[in-house]
Structures are given as structure tokens and as C-alpha cells.
Amino acid sequence: MASGSGINKNKLEIALNIIIVLFTAVGTALMLFGGTESGSLSAQGIANLKFYTVLSNLLCGVVALIHLILLLTGRSAAKLVPYKLAGVCGVTITFAVVAFFFGPLYGWPQFYRGGNLFFHLLEPVAAMIEFLVIKRDRIPFRHTVIAAVPTLIYGFGYLGNILINGIGGPWPDTNDFYGFVNWGYPVGLLIFACITLLSFGVACIYRKASNSRAEA
């Protein structure tokens, strides 16, 4: 019975990671080659790599691909857990910011078209399901700190670019493409501090949920 359960778990883990990788590939292709969609947070081609949305989904997808390779070759993915946690936290932040901040502010439909449909909704939901459904060993607290690091680095890069090069002109020629400093630099700093803390908090929630399953 235990052996059969282990096989089913392995198949489910493989299937979920395949879905994440496919969503990443389709979303990336649409972002790079699908052109610019009016009104959405999209740019042309490689310029999309400036967005947290794209980078967080790429991180999640790359980690899922490595995870998938390890599973298919029969190797342990235990050392991948902190990066898996970082990936799912990144896309969870993406999902939450679009659904509860940008959506109400600018209107939801424009954020769920083309590649944005995959990066704002489908891949984040798949990654959240995968992390919550798959049973893992206990996750140490330090991994929650690691999970917040990519968001912190992005925040430093985003605000640093604005401080060095200025805000720029109107969309799409602006360095403040998320509009976080529309209310001034202090508010922009506060927003990114909150998002980083949110990332850490989300990591703690995932850790608690995963550890509860590990102890079950």
C-alpha cells in the first residue's frame, strides 16, 4: 500500500511540475513573440524581462524544470526546496499584487490576456497547488528568509534604477512602470518594503503548511 501511494505521489509531482514548465514556456513565448498588448503591463520582446511578473514566473519555471529532471532521473530534490519556496512565493506575490492591487486600481481584464494570463494566473495557481499538495520533509526557518531575497533584490534594482536614471517619461518610456513612486519616493520605498515583508510572510505560511503535512 505504501509503495503504491509513493508511486502515485511521484506521478502527481511529475505531472504538476510538467504543467508549471509548460505554462512557463507558453507564457514566455507569448511575452517575447506575441507583441505588446495595449493597456497591460507588457512590453515588446526581451524588454518584458524588466517585470517582476516575468522574472518571478521564470524563476518558478526554471526551478520546476530542474525539479522535474531530478524526479525523472530518480535523484533527490531535497536541496531544491529553498529555491522551490522562493519560486512559489514570487508567483504568489505576482498573483496577489495583480488580483488585489493592480486589478482594483486599473481594471482586471487587461492583466489576464496573452502571456499575462499564464504569468498572472495560471502558473501561479499551478505552483501554489503543487507546493501545497506535495508532501515534503520539514522546512527550516532560514528557507523563509531565502525565499524573500529575490523580491528584495528586485526592489533594490527597481528603485535604484529610478534614483540613478530618473522616472523618465510617460508609459512606455518610464522607469517607474509599476507606478510605485507616483505618490513620492517614501511611499515607493514603503510599498517595496511591504511587498518584501509580504514575501517573507507568504514563505512562513507555506513553510507552516508544508511542515504540518510532513508531521501528518
Side-chain angles (χ1 to χ4, degrees), residues 81 84-93 95 123-134 136-139 144 147 198-214:
V81 172
K84 197 77 174 176
L85 182 59
V88 72
C89 284
V91 295
T92 299
I93 295 300
F95 173 84
E123 183 175 340
V125 170
M128 287 186 272
I129 291 173
E130 192 273 347
F131 199 90
L132 292 173
V133 167
I134 300 304
R136 296 177 170 84
D137 293 333
R138 285 186 58 82
I139 300 174
T144 61
L198 179 61
S199 180
F200 171 72
V202 168
C204 289
I205 293 172
Y206 278 121
R207 172 180 177 265
K208 182 173 179 59
S210 182
N211 287 352
S212 295
R213 282 182 55 77

Side-chain angles (χ1 to χ4, degrees), residues 31 35-37 39-44 48 50-51 113 116 171-172:
M31 283 286 184
T36 305
E37 295 183 28
S40 63
L41 284 173
S42 297
Q44 184 68 42
N48 281 290
K50 67 185 178 183
F51 294 117
R113 298 172 183 158
N116 282 338
W171 176 266

Side-chain angles (χ1 to χ4, degrees), residues 149-163:
V149 169
T151 301
L152 182 63
I153 292 173
Y154 184 86
F156 278 129
Y158 185 94
L159 292 174
N161 181 46
I162 292 174
L163 289 172

Side-chain angles (χ1 to χ4, degrees), residues 26-190:
V26 174
T28 301
L30 290 172
M31 283 286 184
L32 294 180
F33 309 113
T36 305
E37 295 183 28
S38 176
S40 63
L41 284 173
S42 297
Q44 184 68 42
I46 199 170
N48 281 290
L49 293 178
K50 67 185 178 183
F51 294 117
Y52 181 87
T53 293
V54 177
L55 294 175
S56 62
N57 277 269
L58 287 177
L59 171 62
C60 184
V62 168
V63 174
L65 178 61
I66 296 170
H67 192 173
L68 184 60
I69 292 171
L70 292 175
L71 289 172
L72 293 176
T73 55
R75 288 178 285 178
S76 172
K79 292 184 178 180
L80 203 62
V81 172
Y83 309 104
K84 197 77 174 176
L85 182 59
V88 72
C89 284
V91 295
T92 299
I93 295 300
T94 288
F95 173 84
V97 169
V98 170
F100 305 116
F101 181 75
F102 287 128
L105 200 60
Y106 303 115
W108 283 281
Q110 62 180 316
F111 296 106
Y112 298 113
R113 298 172 183 158
N116 282 338
L117 174 63
F118 289 86
F119 284 172
H120 290 165
L121 181 63
L122 297 182
E123 183 175 340
V125 170
M128 287 186 272
I129 291 173
E130 192 273 347
F131 199 90
L132 292 173
V133 167
I134 300 304
K135 189 172 182 178
R136 296 177 170 84
D137 293 333
R138 285 186 58 82
I139 300 174
F141 178 77
R142 67 179 182 276
H143 288 176
T144 61
V145 178
I146 294 173
V149 169
T151 301
L152 182 63
I153 292 173
Y154 184 86
F156 278 129
Y158 185 94
L159 292 174
N161 181 46
I162 292 174
L163 289 172
I164 294 170
N165 299 310
I167 294 176
W171 176 266
D173 300 316
T174 178
N175 290 320
D176 185 25
F177 39 85
Y178 283 129
F180 288 147
V181 297
N182 283 345
W183 303 277
Y185 287 99
V187 174
L189 287 167
L190 179 62

